[in-house]
Amino acid sequence: MEFEFISSKADFTAFNEARSGIVKLYNASSALHEEAEYLDPAIADSFDAFVLRIKGETGGIAMEKLIGNERVAIITFAAIEEKYRGNSIIKKMIAKAGTIIHKEHNAMLCAVQLNDGDDIGIWFHLGFVDKYPLENGTLALVAPAGLQASYSL
């Protein structure tokens, strides 16, 4: 399976389009999800984010560097097509994205942001266990240092 990595700094329009596909899938997964599909292009210069998706598909993971701590990136959305679920695709995507973000963007992918309606059990299963409140009022699950290193080889 081939993945496609898109950086907001390299091509904000392509990033925003790919992110919107992930967010559409994410919103469809729960009646509680009502996230904005597109980001305002006015933030393009100050926003450092990434998408990793299955090439030719809509689903994937969207990630952002934290404002004020450019060495930390978190998963903000994850959603894949139903036909790929149960095959460890998200785990593979996290590992691939962690490696790219570490090597090419000088950051560590180390947490996932949880929103209302998210299945926390999936993230526990993937090793994200330590709860941490974010400034936007959501909760992040942080991966232990050993798991962070394995996702950022």
Side-chain angles (χ1 to χ4, degrees):
M1 178 170 298
E2 193 174 347
F3 297 122
E4 177 182 24
F5 185 85
I6 305 167
S7 167
S8 66
K9 292 283 188 189
D11 186 342
F12 186 81
T13 302
F15 161 81
N16 208 12
E17 193 62 37
R19 180 190 174 277
S20 76
I22 294 167
V23 174
K24 283 178 190 174
L25 281 173
Y26 175 83
N27 285 342
S29 71
S30 171
L32 297 174
H33 296 163
E34 296 180 357
E35 303 295 330
E37 293 174 8
Y38 287 93
L39 296 172
D40 184 345
I43 68 166
D45 291 337
S46 62
F47 194 65
D48 202 358
F50 318 95
V51 163
L52 184 78
R53 66 180 177 185
I54 301 166
K55 193 164 189 158
E57 297 286 354
T58 303
I61 57 177
M63 302 146 286
E64 299 176 12
K65 281 188 177 180
L66 289 182
I67 296 171
N69 189 347
E70 295 282 315
R71 301 256 312 131
V72 174
I74 66 170
I75 298 167
T76 53
F77 300 103
I80 57 174
E81 288 83 353
E82 195 167 327
K83 65 184 176 184
Y84 295 113
R85 295 179 191 158
N87 295 310
S88 300
I89 300 299
I90 292 290
K91 185 174 185 174
K92 292 172 187 169
M93 294 179 95
I94 293 168
K96 178 77 170 173
T99 299
I100 294 169
I101 289 170
H102 180 69
K103 290 182 177 179
E104 298 178 17
H105 299 276
N106 197 32
M108 181 81 67
L109 180 60
C110 60
V112 59
Q113 174 181 304
L114 297 174
N115 298 304
D116 290 339
D118 286 351
D119 183 353
I120 196 169
I122 292 170
W123 299 105
F124 283 145
H125 176 74
L126 291 170
F128 293 85
V129 294
D130 299 322
K131 295 177 183 177
Y132 183 81
L134 296 173
E135 288 182 20
N136 66 2
T138 62
L139 181 67
L141 287 180
V142 180
L147 182 63
Q148 291 173 28
S150 72
Y151 283 148
S152 300
L153 298 174

